[in-house]
Amino acid sequence: LAVPRRCSSRRAGAACPSPLPAGRVRAAFLRFFQERYGHRVLPSAPVRPRGDPRLLFVNAGMNQFKPIFLGTAHPRSELARHRRVVNSQKCVRAGGKHNDLEDVGRDTYHHTFFEMLGNWSFGDYFKEEACGMAWELLTEVYEIPRDRLYVTYFGGDSSLGLSADEECRDVWLRLGVPASHVLPFPSKDNFWEMGDTGPCGPCTEIHYDHVGGGRNAAALVNQGSPDVVEIWNLVFMQYSREVEGHLLPLPQHHVDTGMGLERLVAVLQNKRSNYDTDLFTPILDAIHKGCGAPRYQGLVGDADVGRVNMAYRVVADHVRTLCVCITDGIYPGFSGAELVLRRILRRAVRFCSEVLQAPPGLLASLVPTVVEVLGDAYPELTKNANQQIVDIINENEAAFLSSLERGRRIIERTVQQMEPSANFPAEVAWSLYGNLGFPLDLIDLMLEEKGISLDSAAFNELALEDAKRKADGLQAGQREDTNTRLDVHSLAQLQSNNVPATDDSPKYAYTLGQHGQYEFSPCQATVLMLYRDQSLQKEVGAGQRCGVILDRTNFYAEQGGQASDQGYMIRLGQQDVLFPVEAVHLCGGYVIHEVTAVETLHAGDQVQLFVDEAQRLACMTNHTATHLLNFALRYVLGDHTEQRGSHVTAERLRFDFDIKSPVTVEQLQQVEQVVQDVIKRNEVVHTAEVPLTMARSVQGLRAVNEGYPDPVRIVSLGVPVESVLTRDSEAAMQTSVELCCGTHLLQTGAIEDLAIISERQLVKGISRVIAVTGRQAKQAREVGQCLAMEVDSVSLRMKQRSTSIPEVQNLSKEVGQLTKVVGSTAMPQWQRKELQITLKALQRTANTAIKKLELQQAEEKAQSLLAKHCNQHVIVDSIPADSLSILMKVVNKLCDKCPGTSVLLLSPQASGEVLCACQVSKNCLPVFSAADWAVAVCAQMEGKAGGSSIVAKGSGHASGMQGALTTALEFAQGKL
């Protein structure tokens, strides 16, 4: 396992071996723990977090193991069987609590994407073994000089009631680390916490002195010195932080270690900067070739004139993040992780264009180099077509450059409208930042150039309000969990008391009756324990909300994208007292029924369970339809179509999937047709539990990134599971075969129909469809047909070419109302798109007809007025006109025909309002202003007006019309 290290000798003529490549550093770490200490090597989890809404990105190696730390892993899952694990995890820290984005590029060690090397023990070894393995790897395998290593340990914290971790200190001393290199630090440095609550514990860190030479660098540890850096953190999870803030010992002790690969490689390659290692140098070389800027020199701060070196680091770091995130299904977008990724991309584009002066496309051109550097460790990068990553980057770059131009125009316009010496409005800056993705520092820079300041206090207030809104939503979700999500201590207590996991197999106990109706078997159960306010209780009083744990249940707990069952339970012998079950959750193998007790509930009570059969059947229908939809999308759009998420309720189903190009009307129709064909065939829905390894060998199997139990349930439509499992069988390629724990129909015919009522792109490359089934689908089709008939009717009337402006205007209004109804009503999406295209064309036709008729009417009225006011320099009169638009057109026509004439016309309306329109000859400027003329006239009618020096319009009341005509003539004569 020994690997040749960089040469640390500085003697003249000393032969130095070539630096250890990053790929071999990573491989040696994994091999060490696998071969010497029996760890299981796991692949990196995707950087999109699974089942953790609090996280934007996977930001640490431990994220995928949270269910183990919390005790919530399903007992039959692969996750629950892990004891010793090692991996190299892809991590992104940008946005949220761990946000390195704005620091990236300013120094030589911050990154948004990095690799975390880690080894874990779940209830197996602890401090002595963990420290020994780490010391052995660093000093014997990587051959790092021992005198350059310093270790820290937790020095105690009286506020936590914790003494110093002397056990850890003594382990290091026994390993031979000098006492002068073993240093205590307070909790801010050496006590690790997962969050405000949850598993936590003391940690020990290993630091490296880049300078060495026999000096004692203990005083520089944890002081922010670039010479002495932390390289490895070993966390000993032995406590749990409770809601009230106090610490309780964990039932099982765990080890969680993390070592940044980039920093380790810098040490082993004798580099002071991560960017000088072979993880970055190929990308930096590619940037130089692509932009022609001076070569990267590693300069920082004032030495980096023009921020060229900072730009190199920003672009190199950000393009790695973009490649990894897009490969793992996170695309630049408008909320959450997608919004953060959009900001990363836009930051990189700015440095490319503004600092490196690179042509558009440089960022995307770096993708093949990134894949070459990281592809061996993360093969998903090579499987994902590079072209897709390139296309997404290029399209978003083009959109951003366009947004920059729009943003500049908005800033210019706002500045022109501002009062002198005023601050730039925070609302406008926030809109630029939030809606256009305009970087805040760029807003500051552009305002600085104009000598204007942003109202920073107001801007920060808007940012705080936004953050508070998001936090309130998150806390509300957390508060709801106190009676339904078992905490780690309660789970451990249940297990230590040998309380068995809930047998939920009765949820699958239903059959088809003689007349095709579904019959659900009754279920009798015993209350094993009650859960309230994060503690297990044997009794809960009337009116209290609690979680009920039973020995068995026929209720489906929310999982796999399917909503939980609802229903009620009764105590045996007490038929008239119903305990409504509002929601059901699964936690560590225990099914928690959320109940508000109408009477006192006790552990040991015998209950009978009644599922809401209508709601369950609707969920079953929609879940089976979701599988069919998944298959149909792949069949129509191609094998590259991968599921990105789904959600099934009794009302509808939602399905997210990859797309390479927008879904067309024809494709939507084809997808519906494929689904309807399977429905008509009334295929049998086959299910079976099989070992997970066997299930994963099935060709064409549809599975999402989820932790499945072992054995796992396979759902196959129309083909028996045994046939699907046959060696070399391609049966799963021709039908829907998925790993799924959900409840399904027994035959597809009960779906009756499926209508896709919505399809839209969430972000570039990911589309979301919403569909309904059965009677709802039929109703959607009927509504669609009715609306199509209404559109046809409007279309026919439009073709009759009415010569009445009010008639055509009414048709235009009808088209507008239909457009709103078609856009918001549940109907087949393909039909909605067709009708929207038709309505858009009808609206254009109506607008053109109105404009044409108005011009005709204006021409007639202008001719009549010309005859009446022949050779006059000022025309003031009143005429009938249906709208201000027509009145204005008459004024324009008169002025076109008599270039030196100024015209003001009034038009009384049936409502009692008088319209006013005027135009002043350019020959009369600047003495005579149209705006002043209209204001004076409309004021006479107790109205208002506005416009420019040449044209203006307004309105007033009919009672002042005669006086207004007199005022109009006198005003003009006075000016001329």
Side-chain angles (χ1 to χ4, degrees):
L1 278 170
V3 289
R5 233 189 114 253
R6 58 145 174 86
C7 177
S8 58
S9 172
R10 296 294 180 199
R11 295 194 310 272
C16 291
S18 59
L20 188 65
R24 289 184 61 191
V25 174
R26 187 193 296 112
F29 181 90
L30 300 174
R31 198 166 62 245
F32 171 82
F33 283 100
Q34 181 185 34
E35 295 180 5
R36 286 199 188 179
Y37 293 102
H39 288 62
R40 183 178 178 185
V41 178
L42 292 183
S44 169
V47 292
R48 178 186 283 280
R50 186 182 71 216
D52 192 343
R54 296 168 181 83
L55 276 183
L56 291 172
F57 303 94
V58 165
N59 58 20
M62 54 73 63
N63 290 159
Q64 65 174 308
F65 304 118
K66 269 188 180 180
I68 300 178
F69 300 137
L70 296 169
T72 58
H74 195 286
R76 289 197 292 123
S77 68
E78 215 172 359
L79 203 57
R81 291 201 289 273
H82 292 327
R83 289 296 172 267
R84 297 183 176 203
V85 164
V86 63
N87 87 338
S88 177
Q89 173 63 47
K90 299 174 294 187
C91 297
V92 173
R93 286 188 181 171
K97 179 182 174 185
H98 299 288
N99 185 3
D100 292 345
L101 180 55
E102 292 306 321
D103 292 323
V104 171
R106 299 182 192 278
D107 53 40
T108 61
Y109 50 86
H110 273 100
H111 304 290
T112 51
F113 166 75
F114 63 97
E115 299 177 65
M116 184 73 85
L117 303 172
N119 62 290
W120 287 268
S121 164
F122 305 116
D124 190 349
Y125 60 81
F126 205 45
K127 295 179 184 178
E128 182 145 9
E129 297 90 335
C131 295
M133 293 173 194
W135 192 250
E136 180 184 349
L137 175 65
L138 294 179
T139 61
E140 295 180 21
V141 176
Y142 292 138
E143 298 179 359
I144 298 176
R146 295 168 185 244
D147 64 350
R148 290 201 179 198
L149 296 175
Y150 295 80
V151 296
T152 65
Y153 67 93
F154 177 54
D157 190 326
S158 57
S159 67
L160 297 175
L162 297 176
S163 57
D165 190 358
E166 295 177 355
E167 178 188 357
C168 177
R169 179 200 63 189
D170 293 344
V171 168
W172 288 118
L173 295 173
R174 286 198 297 274
L175 286 168
V177 183
S180 60
H181 285 222
V182 182
L183 312 170
F185 279 90
S187 55
K188 76 178 181 68
D189 296 304
N190 279 79
F191 194 87
W192 186 91
E193 304 202 46
M194 185 186 292
D196 295 334
T197 60
C200 56
C203 62
T204 181
E205 296 175 343
I206 304 173
H207 295 248
Y208 174 79
D209 176 17
H210 276 287
V211 177
R215 71 170 184 165
N216 188 320
L220 297 177
V221 172
N222 277 337
Q223 299 305 309
S225 168
D227 293 334
V228 180
V229 295
E230 174 208 336
I231 58 173
W232 205 346
N233 186 12
L234 285 65
V235 179
F236 307 121
M237 291 197 191
Q238 58 189 96
Y239 302 106
S240 175
R241 169 85 65 186
E242 301 304 296
V243 175
E244 299 80 10
H246 59 268
L247 299 174
L248 292 178
L250 277 174
Q252 270 195 324
H253 289 174
H254 308 296
V255 173
D256 162 20
T257 86
M259 176 160 56
L261 175 68
E262 291 79 7
R263 198 170 283 187
L264 174 63
V265 171
V267 168
L268 297 180
Q269 294 183 0
N270 199 26
K271 305 292 184 185
R272 296 296 293 272
S273 162
N274 297 350
Y275 291 93
D276 291 334
T277 68
D278 63 343
L279 286 166
F280 287 93
T281 50
I283 305 172
L284 296 170
D285 290 342
I287 295 170
H288 171 68
K289 289 175 187 172
C291 71
R295 279 194 174 276
Y296 177 69
Q297 296 175 285
L299 302 175
V300 295
D302 294 338
D304 182 18
V305 178
R307 301 194 302 167
V308 171
N309 290 265
M310 178 180 177
Y312 268 99
R313 289 188 289 268
V314 166
V315 175
D317 171 89
H318 289 7
V319 74
R320 288 174 15 122
T321 305
L322 288 164
C323 288
V324 167
C325 287
I326 292 169
T327 295
D328 284 351
I330 302 175
Y331 302 153
F334 297 94
S335 63
E338 285 79 9
L339 176 59
V340 174
L341 194 65
R342 185 175 76 143
R343 288 180 180 154
I344 289 171
L345 186 145
R346 293 184 164 200
R347 189 169 187 254
V349 169
R350 277 188 57 220
F351 276 93
C352 281
S353 62
E354 294 175 12
V355 181
L356 298 176
Q357 300 293 307
L362 170 66
L363 196 61
S365 74
L366 304 175
V367 170
T369 308
V370 174
V371 172
E372 190 177 334
V373 172
L374 297 174
D376 288 342
Y378 308 107
E380 58 271 22
L381 278 166
T382 57
K383 289 176 188 171
N384 190 328
N386 288 351
Q387 194 57 46
Q388 184 195 15
I389 303 174
V390 168
D391 289 346
I392 288 172
I393 291 175
N394 277 334
E395 287 166 12
N396 278 273
E397 178 178 18
F400 178 47
L401 293 174
S402 171
S403 291
L404 279 181
E405 193 51 44
R406 281 182 62 202
R408 286 191 179 96
R409 288 199 300 269
I410 290 170
I411 289 174
E412 290 284 352
R413 188 169 67 248
T414 306
V415 168
Q416 287 172 8
Q417 295 170 353
M418 283 169 51
E419 296 288 333
S421 76
N423 283 335
F424 191 81
E427 297 80 8
V428 178
W430 181 255
S431 176
L432 287 169
Y433 175 73
N435 299 328
L436 285 184
F438 217 75
L440 186 56
D441 60 339
L442 184 58
I443 296 172
D444 284 332
L445 188 64
M446 291 179 68
L447 294 178
E448 188 181 322
E449 290 169 357
K450 297 178 182 297
I452 296 170
S453 299
L454 172 64
D455 187 348
S456 298
F459 184 91
N460 292 335
E461 195 174 322
L462 290 171
L464 282 170
E465 286 174 10
D466 184 63
K468 187 175 183 297
R469 270 195 305 273
K470 290 172 181 173
D472 286 346
L474 192 60
Q475 287 168 6
Q478 290 170 344
R479 284 193 294 271
E480 288 170 7
D481 289 350
T482 56
N483 295 323
T484 56
R485 310 288 184 192
L486 294 174
D487 66 287
V488 65
H489 304 292
S490 299
L491 278 163
Q493 187 180 334
L494 288 169
Q495 289 156 4
S496 65
N497 292 343
N498 295 317
V499 175
T502 309
D503 172 15
D504 62 352
S505 59
K507 68 188 178 188
Y508 300 126
Y510 48 88
T511 57
L512 273 174
Q514 286 184 346
H515 303 293
Q517 79 282 9
Y518 277 79
E519 296 176 351
F520 296 87
S521 301
C523 182
Q524 190 173 316
T526 303
V527 177
L528 299 179
M529 197 64 69
L530 301 162
Y531 185 67
R532 175 174 166 75
D533 295 333
Q534 292 194 304
S535 69
L536 294 171
Q537 301 177 12
K538 293 204 176 273
E539 180 180 306
V540 167
Q544 292 186 323
R545 194 182 184 87
C546 66
V548 180
I549 303 171
L550 306 171
D551 62 336
R552 61 199 305 267
T553 184
N554 59 348
F555 276 77
Y556 182 83
E558 182 176 1
Q559 57 185 315
Q562 181 179 328
S564 73
D565 281 337
Q566 294 175 340
Y568 63 92
M569 59 178 73
I570 61 171
R571 266 196 292 247
L572 290 186
Q574 200 174 5
Q575 307 294 319
D576 56 340
V577 180
L578 308 183
F579 294 84
V581 177
E582 297 159 26
V584 190
H585 303 277
L586 182 65
C587 197
Y590 297 99
V591 177
I592 320 297
H593 304 73
E594 197 173 326
V595 166
T596 299
V598 291
E599 286 190 0
T600 302
L601 264 175
H602 304 86
D605 282 350
Q606 300 290 305
V607 294
Q608 190 149 9
L609 307 176
F610 296 88
V611 168
D612 182 332
E613 295 182 5
Q615 191 239 7
R616 161 67 82 81
L617 185 55
C619 281
M620 287 162 52
T621 300
N622 287 343
H623 203 151
T624 304
T626 303
H627 283 218
L628 261 178
L629 180 63
N630 190 1
F631 167 72
L633 286 165
R634 179 183 57 170
Y635 184 87
V636 172
L637 302 180
D639 288 339
H640 62 272
T641 309
E642 292 289 340
Q643 178 177 345
R644 287 296 181 186
S646 67
H647 187 58
V648 174
T649 66
E651 292 76 30
R652 56 179 53 187
L653 61 98
R654 188 192 75 209
F655 192 81
D656 302 341
F657 58 97
D658 287 335
I659 52 169
K660 287 193 171 179
S661 56
V663 183
T664 65
V665 167
E666 292 75 19
Q667 287 171 329
L668 286 170
Q669 288 175 304
Q670 290 168 20
V671 168
E672 283 191 3
Q673 191 58 55
V674 170
V675 173
Q676 285 158 8
D677 289 345
V678 181
I679 292 172
K680 285 173 187 171
R681 292 201 299 269
N682 198 21
E683 300 278 17
V684 174
V685 180
H686 300 273
T687 60
E689 283 198 345
V690 301
L692 189 57
T693 51
M694 186 185 294
R696 284 185 169 150
S697 67
V698 173
Q699 290 186 57
L701 178 77
R702 309 300 276 176
V704 292
N705 175 37
E706 260 188 37
Y708 292 100
D710 192 5
V712 67
R713 199 160 181 261
I714 286 185
V715 178
S716 173
L717 304 188
V719 179
V721 175
E722 306 80 58
S723 303
V724 169
L725 294 172
T726 306
R727 184 185 293 274
D728 299 327
S729 169
E730 294 188 359
M733 307 289 284
Q734 313 303 322
T735 187
S736 166
V737 180
E738 297 192 32
L739 302 184
C740 183
C741 60
T743 56
H744 285 271
L745 297 172
L746 301 176
Q747 290 179 260
T748 61
I751 298 172
E752 295 179 5
D753 191 7
L754 177 139
I756 295 171
I757 59 169
S758 172
E759 184 274 328
R760 65 183 178 92
Q761 281 198 41
L762 294 179
V763 293
K764 181 69 179 174
I766 296 182
S767 187
R768 166 171 290 176
V769 296
I770 294 173
V772 290
T773 58
R775 281 179 296 177
Q776 281 182 287
K778 184 182 177 185
Q779 185 179 357
R781 294 193 191 284
E782 288 172 353
V783 168
Q785 288 303 314
C786 289
L787 287 172
M789 289 169 66
E790 287 189 47
V791 171
D792 287 343
S793 170
V794 173
S795 185
L796 281 170
R797 282 179 280 148
M798 196 75 77
K799 286 175 182 175
Q800 291 168 3
R801 300 189 182 280
S802 171
T803 56
S804 164
I805 290 178
E807 277 186 23
V808 182
Q809 285 175 332
N810 286 336
L811 279 174
S812 178
K813 286 179 185 175
E814 201 173 332
V815 170
Q817 289 164 354
L818 268 174
T819 300
K820 287 181 182 177
V821 173
V822 166
S824 60
T825 304
M827 60 185 293
Q829 180 69 5
W830 64 264
Q831 193 171 31
R832 187 196 320 278
K833 285 188 171 185
E834 283 188 344
L835 294 181
Q836 285 171 333
I837 291 167
T838 303
L839 287 166
K840 196 172 181 181
L842 287 173
Q843 192 67 70
R844 280 198 303 268
T845 301
N847 292 344
T848 303
I850 291 167
K851 187 175 181 182
K852 188 176 177 181
L853 289 170
E854 284 182 348
L855 285 170
Q856 286 175 357
Q857 197 175 105
E859 178 70 30
E860 292 168 2
K861 292 181 184 297
Q863 289 293 349
S864 173
L865 286 166
L866 275 175
K868 181 178 177 183
H869 301 276
C870 186
N871 299 323
Q872 292 185 18
H873 292 297
V874 176
I875 296 175
V876 173
D877 209 335
S878 66
I879 62 168
D882 292 330
S883 67
L884 186 57
S885 172
I886 295 173
L887 190 65
M888 197 77 231
K889 284 181 175 67
V890 177
V891 170
N892 298 152
K893 286 281 183 187
L894 280 170
C895 291
D896 289 345
K897 292 178 185 293
C898 302
T901 303
S902 297
V903 180
L904 184 144
L905 298 178
L906 300 181
S907 178
Q909 304 292 298
S911 61
E913 183 185 28
V914 176
L915 305 178
C916 171
C918 66
Q919 182 170 333
V920 168
S921 170
K922 291 181 182 178
N923 300 336
C924 303
L925 299 177
V927 178
F928 193 8
S929 163
D932 293 344
W933 198 12
V935 167
V937 170
C938 290
Q940 187 70 31
M941 300 186 292
E942 299 179 352
K944 292 182 179 179
S948 67
S949 57
I950 295 177
V951 293
K953 54 191 175 183
S955 64
H957 301 295
S959 57
M961 183 173 154
Q962 288 307 316
L965 287 168
T966 304
T967 300
L969 199 54
E970 290 174 352
F971 185 96
Q973 289 170 345
K975 296 294 181 182
L976 298 175

